[in-house]
Amino acid sequence: MTNKTINGLYAITDPALTPDERLLPAVEAALFGGARLLQYRDKTASADQRRRRASQLRALCHEYDALFIVNDDPALAAEVGADGVHIGQSDGGIATARALLGDNRIIGVTCHGDLRLARQAADAGADYLAMGRFFASRTKPQAPPADIASLKQACDEFPLPVVAIGGVNADNAPLLIQAGAASVAVIEALFGHSDPADIEAAARRISDLF
């Protein structure tokens, strides 16, 4: 059974920042720096590439006792034995993902800053709620903005872990943690660095906030 504890640093890959030759060293640096979850997000690779990379990342995450999540693809998550999947509002729904993954895998849902969406996800059986974006984000600049008040309300209202996302770095993460976020999801502040040593250092700075 998967340990569903969602807390700490949640690293998310990006194909522009972590291309194929850099992916595994970059992810291992983040894990060594304390990342507790890793989401594989790549909408550009072929099905075979995604399957290969997901299998490699799953093995690497489990070496570091971290959870491995696949973005937007419950079938791939099931195929490679991922710990779970993260889905958006247009990715087939929780019931479809649950049917593929079973009861013991994690399903996280993007809720933006919308408490109505968060309630729907919680009622449908989500394991965590992702709220944001809270700060300007170069990797997802079109994502609708969310405010800290909505994060705090979500953390107070729902018994589920809330993951805060959107432009998060070591300087602004404390605001999100103080508001109740169980985890902060980070892309550019980690993988915007080209040197694995810098990725590790950035991961450690954020991990130490928890």
Side-chain angles (χ1 to χ4, degrees), residues 136-154:
S137 169
R138 283 194 283 184
T139 52
K140 297 192 79 172
Q142 304 306 318
D147 58 38
I148 301 293
S150 67
L151 172 62
K152 188 175 190 312
Q153 186 172 345

Side-chain angles (χ1 to χ4, degrees), residues 11-179:
I12 301 179
T13 68
D14 179 280
L17 299 176
T18 51
D20 201 33
E21 68 277 5
R22 289 191 51 219
L23 180 61
L24 292 177
V27 166
E28 183 160 25
L31 293 168
F32 194 71
R36 303 306 309 135
L37 303 95
L38 184 281
Q39 182 185 133
Y40 173 51
R41 183 176 184 274
D42 187 347
K43 299 177 185 292
T44 60
S46 70
D48 285 345
Q49 288 173 319
R50 284 165 49 80
R51 190 178 302 111
R52 173 175 57 83
R53 293 169 184 169
S55 296
Q56 291 170 329
L57 290 171
R58 175 193 175 278
L60 186 58
C61 286
H62 289 184
E63 283 181 30
Y64 286 86
D65 198 28
L67 295 172
F68 175 59
I69 307 295
V70 170
N71 176 264
D72 284 357
D73 193 338
L76 177 61
E79 182 178 356
V80 302
D83 296 299
V85 69
H86 182 90
I87 57 175
Q89 289 296 318
S90 59
D91 294 324
I94 293 172
T96 300
R98 187 65 73 196
L100 282 165
L101 293 173
D103 292 337
N104 294 330
R105 302 294 174 176
I106 297 162
I107 298 176
V109 180
T110 295
C111 302
H112 305 296
D114 191 329
L115 291 167
R116 178 184 60 84
L117 294 177
R119 291 186 192 102
Q120 289 175 354
D123 290 343
D127 293 298
Y128 72 80
L129 309 173
M131 307 287 290
R133 65 175 171 84
F134 291 101
F135 308 104
S137 169
R138 283 194 283 184
T139 52
K140 297 192 79 172
Q142 304 306 318
D147 58 38
I148 301 293
S150 67
L151 172 62
K152 188 175 190 312
Q153 186 172 345
C155 294
D156 290 342
E157 179 174 341
F158 304 111
L160 301 174
V162 177
V163 176
I165 189 170
V168 181
N169 57 43
D171 295 325
N172 58 36
L175 292 172
L176 305 172
I177 297 168
Q178 290 161 14

